[in-house]
Amino acid sequence: MGNSRTEEESYRQTFNLFLAGTDEKKVTHAYLRDIVERLPARRVLLDVGPADGTTTRHLAPYFEHTVCIEPSASMRRALASACPEAEVVAEPVLEARIDARADLALLSHVLYYVPRSQWVATVERVMGWLAPGGLLLVLLQDPDDACMRMVRHFTGLRFDLRELAKELTAPAHGPNDDIVLDTVPARYRSRDLEETVTVATFHLTLPGQPPPARDAVKAYVQEHLRDGDGGYVLRHGQLVLRVQRPAS
């Protein structure tokens, strides 16, 4: 129990360090707010994998009811503090049972933790919880930005929403003209090398992957992430897949 708590605290400290140096939340929340304000109805928000609830807390006031699917016990504790009125489901998305029909469903940075073979099934599962005319937003980092190039360098992994978009529009799943792919730029900046290395290592911590040696990450940061002005910049823009359920 003590080790688990220490790991949780370490995650939070590093995540907060990242948040302090990035504009991701600012630009993402502005993008989401624009989407929400254009929805024809705002009864139910469904957030799948909300983590500590930072984005959920930003969006929940626009909706009458919020439902969250969060399998992590530590994240559910943080979520309860951030969004005490939200209904929280602890089962993984493919096992969860919910009754609500969402006007907006958010699947933000979750697919890194889902086997690639289950991406379509996961999206289709969430689509089944949308109200007619409801909108699903799927967010992942842009595979062509510096952050995901770094991930690919150390792990060989590539996560590309464009591949998912093609699968969802394939004949087996029926034609779907209501699929749009947006880009939301973001960047992390720091003038501190060790801090940048810590944040870079945080992004390289993926399920089933051994953590990279800090010296190797440091060498990569010094070679690839210098900004030319004595600091470091890590661009980590997001792709957003918008999938709308037919109104009838």
Side-chain angles (χ1 to χ4, degrees):
M1 184 67 175
N3 287 340
S4 175
R5 192 65 182 174
T6 299
E7 290 176 5
E8 180 183 334
E9 291 171 353
S10 176
Y11 172 90
R12 287 186 180 284
Q13 289 172 356
T14 305
F15 186 57
N16 288 336
L17 190 67
F18 166 63
L19 290 180
T22 181
D23 61 359
E24 179 184 283
K25 291 301 180 188
K26 178 181 178 181
V27 297
T28 303
H29 287 178
Y31 169 86
L32 293 174
R33 184 170 60 251
D34 180 64
I35 293 286
V36 167
E37 289 176 346
R38 290 188 280 116
L39 291 174
R42 295 196 288 268
R43 292 159 299 203
V44 177
L45 167 67
L46 172 61
D47 198 344
V48 181
D52 67 356
T54 300
T55 297
T56 319
R57 180 176 57 197
H58 177 75
L59 295 180
Y62 291 93
F63 294 84
E64 298 172 15
H65 184 57
T66 297
V67 180
C68 297
I69 299 176
E70 181 49 73
S72 166
S74 63
M75 291 297 104
R76 288 198 301 273
R77 288 194 291 269
L79 183 60
S81 176
C83 303
E85 297 181 358
E87 175 187 345
V88 180
V89 177
E91 289 77 21
V93 61
L94 292 179
E95 300 173 19
R97 298 289 187 272
I98 64 173
D99 295 326
R101 288 296 174 260
D103 298 294
L104 179 68
L106 191 63
L107 191 67
S108 180
H109 298 281
V110 170
L111 293 182
Y112 309 118
Y113 308 98
V114 176
R116 181 64 182 84
S117 60
Q118 295 179 10
W119 279 19
V120 170
T122 299
V123 167
E124 291 182 339
R125 177 75 167 166
V126 179
M127 289 288 293
W129 291 321
L130 288 177
L135 180 66
L136 167 63
L137 301 179
V138 186
L139 283 74
L140 282 182
Q141 287 196 21
D142 186 335
D144 298 326
D145 254 5
C147 185
M148 295 311 285
R149 290 200 302 270
M150 178 181 68
V151 169
R152 193 156 60 250
H153 172 84
F154 282 97
T155 69
L157 298 175
R158 180 180 174 87
F159 305 89
D160 194 342
L161 276 184
R162 290 169 293 205
E163 296 175 357
L164 176 61
K166 289 180 181 178
E167 290 183 50
L168 292 173
T169 54
H173 299 281
N176 193 334
D177 295 329
D178 295 322
I179 293 181
V180 178
L181 199 61
D182 295 330
T183 301
V184 181
R187 65 181 182 181
Y188 165 86
R189 299 185 69 96
S190 175
R191 299 192 69 84
D192 186 288
L193 173 59
E194 295 303 326
E195 176 185 302
T196 306
V197 173
T198 297
V199 167
T201 303
F202 171 79
H203 284 282
L204 292 167
T205 304
L206 295 168
Q209 297 294 317
R214 187 175 178 88
D215 287 347
V217 179
K218 187 173 184 177
Y220 186 95
V221 167
Q222 290 177 303
E223 181 176 355
H224 296 283
L225 303 185
R226 291 183 185 273
D227 65 2
D229 191 33
Y232 304 89
V233 60
L234 179 62
R235 298 186 185 279
H236 56 99
Q238 300 165 96
L239 295 182
V240 185
L241 186 64
R242 289 189 277 142
V243 189
Q244 190 154 25
R245 181 172 175 175
S248 59

